[in-house]
Amino acid sequence: RRRPGPRRPDRPAARRPTRKPRRPPKLADPRRRLRLGTLLTLALFAVIGIRLVFLQTVNTPAYADGGLGNRLAVVELPAPRGAIYDRTGAPLAHSVEARYVFADPTQIPESDRVAVAKRLSPLLGVAWSDLADKMKRRSLPGGGQSQFEYLARGVDIDRAKQIMALDLPGIGTHRDERREVPGGDLAANLLGFVSEDMTGLEGLEAKYDDVLQGKAGRKTYEVGQGDLAAPIPGGYSVTVQPRPGSSIVLTTDRDLQYRTQQILSAQLAQVRGSVAAAVVLDMQGEVLAQASNPTYDAADPAGSKPTDREDAATSFVVDPGSIHKAITYGAALQEGVITPDTAFPVANTINEGGVTFRDTHPANGRKMSIPGMLAFSSNVGTIEIAHDLGRDRLIDYQKRFGLGQPTGEGMPGEASGRLLPADQWSGSAYGSVPIGHSVDATPLQMAAAYTAIANDGTYVQPHLIKEVIGPDGKRTPGPAPKTRSVLSPQNAAALRTMLEAVTTVDGPDGRATGLAAAVPGYRVAGKTGTGLRYVDGKLQPGEVGSFIGMAPAEKPRYVVAVFVWSPGGEGGAVAAPAFREIMGYTLRHYRVPPSATDRSPKFEVFPR
C-alpha cells in the first residue's frame, strides 16, 4: 500500500508527429500535362540538335566522302599541242580544233550497248565490236565504276554534231584537237608524226615531244544518279585548266625544202630502188633544207614502210669515198705538208698492205698539181700526200671536221658514223682511209665538214631549231651551235680555190669529174665521190654517188650535199646534176648576185 502523499500534477501525454498524406498527381490537370510534354519535346530537339552539330562539324568529311566517289565525273581537258613552223613562220605541222567522243558506261543499259555501238560505228569509222567493248562497265581500282572511256579522238566538229544529234545514252563529246600537216610529205622525214592521243612517235615530233606537248587539264564535278545524271548545282566541282604546249621554229625554208624534194624525186625517177639524201646549209650552220627519198605522207603515216620514214641525211651511213679527200688535203695544207703550188709525179697505181690502188685518170708518172689531183680525183696522189701527213694527224683532222660522232643537229637517232682507230689500221688502211674508205659517215656529217671549208676554216655545228615560242608568246632562241677552228682562213680559201678545179677543168688532158655540177653564172667549189653502203655490217650491192659543193666559191653562202645509193650503181650520174639544180635554185631564191666569172682561176693539171 502506498502512502498518501502530495499528488504530482499530471503531464500531458506526448504526441507523435503525424505526416500529411501525399496526394497523387492529378493527371487530368491540363497545365501539368502541357509542362511535361514541353519538357519532353525540348529534350528531344536538344538531342537532335546536338547530333546534327556533331555530324556537320566532326564527321562531315567522312560522311560526305563516303559516297562522293560514286557521284563524281571526270572529264579530261586536252592541252593544245604546239606547232612546228619553218623559218618564215609558215606552219609545217599544227593542231586544229576537233572533238573527242566518249562514253559513260554507267549510263548505257547493257541491253542497249551493242545497238549504241552499231549506230556510232559508221560515224566514227571504228568497228562496232571495238566500240561495244569500250562501253562495257569496268570497276576502278579504288572502287566504283569507270564513268569515262574514249571512243574516238580528233573527230571533225560537224561529225561530232551528228553524233550528239542521235541523243544516245551515255555518249558525249568534248573539245579536242587534231594534228594537221599541210604539206603532206613536205619535210615529212624531219617532222615525223604523232599518235591519236597527240604523243610524238617519230622525227621532231618525238624528239621534242616534251616541248610541244602541253599539260592536260581536268574537270572533276559531282553529278546526280539515274535520270538526274547532270551536274549538281552547288555540288563539288574542281577544274584544272590545261597548259598549252610550246611551238618550235625550224631553220628550214618551206619553199626551198619543197623544191629540193622535187628535184631529188625527179632525178631519182630514172634510178630504181634508190635511197637519197640532200642537205642545204648556210654559213651559220642552219639547215635550210634536208630531204630524203623515199619519203611518205606525214598526215597519213599508217600506209608507209618504216624505211620510207627514215631521215636519210642522219641515218644513211656510207663510206664516203672521194669526197673525203677534201679532209685529207685540208689537213695537209694546215700542217704544211703541201702548198697550193705543190706538184709531184704520180704513178698509175700504188700498193698498200698487199692491196693495189689505182687512178681512173692515169697520170702515167707525170708531175701533177694539187688542183689536178682533185679535178681527176687521184687516189694515188692523195695516198702519197697522206703518207707525209701521217696516220695520227689524219685521224685528228677527221675528228676536227666532225666525223666519228653525231652532229647533234636535233634529229632523233642520229648515227655517229665510225672512224678506224689507229690501233686497227692494217697495211691497206694507209691507202683506203685517205681516199674515204674504211670510214663511216652520214651525208650531214660530210656536209658540215665542207661547211667548215666554206666558212673560212671554222666548223659550225649544223642545227635545225631556230627558236621556241612559249604558250605566253615568249621567244627563246635555240641552243647556240658549237664552233671550232679547223683550218686557217688562208688555207680554207686555198682549198676552196683548188676544189673549183673539180667543176671547171675541161681540156686536152681530160675532163674533171664534177663538170655536171657546175652552176651557170656562179663559181662552184666541190668534190665528187663514189662510196659503198653497209647495212647491219653487210655490204650492199651498187654504189653511193655523191657531190658536195659550195657557192659562190669566192665567198660561199651555201653548201649543198647530195648522196644517192642505187643497187645498179647509177647514183654518180644523178648526184652532180641534182646538186646543180638545188644549188642553182638556192642562189636564185636568196637572190645571190652571180660571180665575176672573169676572175675564175685557170688550172694547170700537169705543170711543166
Side-chain angles (χ1 to χ4, degrees):
R1 186 174 175 174
R2 296 173 62 183
R3 289 180 182 180
R7 298 182 63 182
R8 295 180 181 178
D10 293 335
R11 293 181 181 176
R15 293 183 180 178
R16 293 182 179 179
T18 60
R19 293 182 180 177
K20 194 175 182 178
R22 190 180 291 176
R23 287 188 291 179
K26 296 181 179 180
L27 298 177
D29 186 347
R31 289 177 299 175
R32 291 180 179 271
R33 284 187 307 181
L34 182 60
R35 292 192 189 101
L36 181 61
T38 300
L39 289 174
L40 291 176
T41 301
L42 290 175
L44 178 62
F45 274 106
V47 171
I48 293 174
I50 292 171
R51 182 59 177 163
L52 287 175
V53 171
F54 184 78
L55 289 174
Q56 293 185 9
T57 58
V58 179
N59 286 346
T60 296
Y63 281 95
D65 293 345
L68 186 60
N70 296 326
R71 301 191 304 275
L72 289 183
V74 180
V75 175
E76 184 173 314
L77 305 178
R81 186 177 180 86
I84 301 178
Y85 301 105
D86 85 330
R87 66 187 301 114
T88 68
L92 299 174
H94 64 111
S95 297
V96 297
E97 184 178 350
R99 296 289 183 267
Y100 65 75
V101 180
F102 68 94
D104 181 350
T106 65
Q107 302 301 318
I108 304 174
E110 184 60 27
S111 59
D112 294 342
R113 182 165 56 87
V114 172
V116 171
K118 287 184 176 179
R119 295 191 70 182
L120 287 175
S121 178
L123 292 172
L124 296 180
V126 180
W128 69 263
S129 56
D130 293 339
L131 293 174
D133 182 65
K134 293 180 179 180
M135 295 178 193
K136 287 181 180 179
R137 299 192 179 190
R138 292 177 174 81
S139 297
L140 297 174
Q145 291 187 324
S146 171
Q147 295 178 307
F148 182 89
E149 294 291 337
Y150 279 117
L151 298 183
R153 300 290 304 268
V155 177
D156 289 338
I157 294 177
D158 291 341
R159 187 67 55 87
K161 289 180 179 178
Q162 295 179 39
I163 292 171
M164 293 308 296
L166 297 176
D167 196 22
L168 299 173
I171 302 300
T173 64
H174 205 278
R175 191 184 190 283
D176 197 12
E177 60 177 327
R178 183 179 67 252
R179 202 65 165 170
E180 285 199 350
V181 184
D185 66 352
L186 182 66
N189 301 70
L190 291 178
L191 297 175
F193 55 91
V194 300
S195 65
E196 189 180 58
D197 63 354
M198 290 293 171
T199 299
L201 296 181
E202 288 191 16
L204 296 174
E205 294 274 23
K207 173 75 172 182
Y208 296 98
D209 189 56
D210 57 338
V211 176
L212 294 165
Q213 194 173 67
K215 188 174 182 179
R218 177 172 294 195
K219 182 178 181 179
T220 306
Y221 57 94
E222 195 173 358
V223 297
Q225 302 296 315
D227 295 335
L228 300 177
I232 298 176
Y236 179 86
S237 179
V238 174
T239 300
V240 178
Q241 294 296 335
R243 185 177 185 276
S246 298
S247 295
I248 293 175
V249 179
L250 303 184
T251 59
T252 56
D253 182 315
R254 181 183 61 174
D255 293 341
L256 180 58
Q257 178 75 29
Y258 172 78
R259 184 63 182 139
T260 299
Q261 289 184 210
Q262 192 179 48
I263 293 169
L264 201 60
S265 177
Q267 289 291 336
L268 265 61
Q270 54 190 301
V271 182
R272 292 185 178 181
S274 58
V275 177
V279 180
V280 182
L281 294 169
D282 68 9
M283 297 304 98
Q284 289 72 48
E286 293 189 346
V287 179
L288 302 178
Q290 187 163 306
S292 300
N293 194 291
T295 185
Y296 71 106
D297 184 354
D300 184 23
S304 62
K305 296 185 294 185
T307 51
D308 293 346
R309 302 195 298 264
E310 292 179 356
D311 173 55
T314 56
S315 65
F316 186 42
V317 179
V318 301
D319 65 345
S322 292
I323 55 173
H324 179 276
K325 291 174 181 174
I327 294 176
T328 302
Y329 284 85
L333 276 171
Q334 188 68 19
E335 294 297 313
V337 173
I338 61 172
T339 70
D341 299 324
T342 296
F344 56 85
V346 176
N348 293 342
T349 64
I350 188 171
N351 187 283
E352 297 289 345
V355 176
T356 299
F357 297 87
R358 53 177 45 87
D359 284 343
T360 55
H361 293 72
N364 298 319
R366 288 179 291 174
K367 188 166 65 172
M368 198 176 198
S369 67
I370 300 298
M373 295 178 197
L374 286 167
F376 293 164
S377 198
S378 172
N379 292 329
V380 176
T382 304
I383 294 170
E384 291 281 11
I385 291 172
H387 279 171
D388 295 336
L389 179 64
R391 177 194 63 186
D392 294 334
R393 286 196 289 184
L394 178 56
I395 293 175
D396 179 48
Y397 276 88
Q398 285 178 321
K399 293 178 180 178
R400 292 191 195 186
F401 274 104
L403 304 190
Q405 58 186 347
T407 66
E409 173 203 40
M411 286 298 294
E414 181 184 1
S416 63
R418 181 178 179 271
L419 297 178
L420 190 64
D423 59 1
Q424 294 182 22
W425 279 46
S426 62
S428 62
Y430 287 88
S432 62
V433 174
I435 62 175
H437 298 289
S438 301
V439 178
D440 291 339
T442 65
L444 182 63
Q445 286 175 322
M446 295 307 302
Y450 273 67
T451 304
I453 299 170
N455 199 30
D456 286 336
T458 299
Y459 177 91
V460 182
Q461 177 188 22
H463 52 284
L464 275 167
I465 307 302
K466 191 173 185 67
E467 61 181 353
V468 175
I469 305 175
D472 57 356
K474 181 180 178 181
R475 294 175 178 263
T476 304
K482 298 177 181 177
T483 64
R484 58 179 173 270
S485 177
V486 181
L487 305 175
S488 69
Q490 295 78 13
N491 285 326
L495 182 56
R496 287 197 302 269
T497 300
M498 293 189 293
L499 286 170
E500 285 190 72
V502 177
T503 62
T504 58
V505 170
D506 185 11
D509 294 319
R511 294 167 57 85
T513 59
L515 292 179
V519 179
Y522 295 91
R523 291 168 57 184
V524 175
K527 186 71 186 74
T528 55
T530 303
L532 302 173
R533 183 189 184 195
Y534 291 85
V535 176
D536 297 328
K538 295 181 180 179
L539 177 64
Q540 301 301 297
E543 295 176 337
V544 178
S546 59
F547 190 92
I548 306 180
M550 59 204 73
E554 66 274 19
K555 188 174 178 56
R557 292 278 303 275
Y558 307 104
V559 167
V560 172
V562 178
F563 283 67
V564 180
W565 169 78
S566 63
E570 305 94 341
V574 173
F579 166 88
R580 180 187 65 239
E581 292 191 47
I582 295 171
M583 178 62 86
Y585 178 82
T586 303
L587 294 168
R588 294 190 301 272
H589 179 63
Y590 291 112
R591 300 178 181 178
V592 178
S595 300
T597 53
D598 58 336
R599 298 181 183 178
S600 299
K602 305 300 180 185
F603 298 104
E604 191 174 6
V605 176
F606 298 109
R608 296 177 181 177

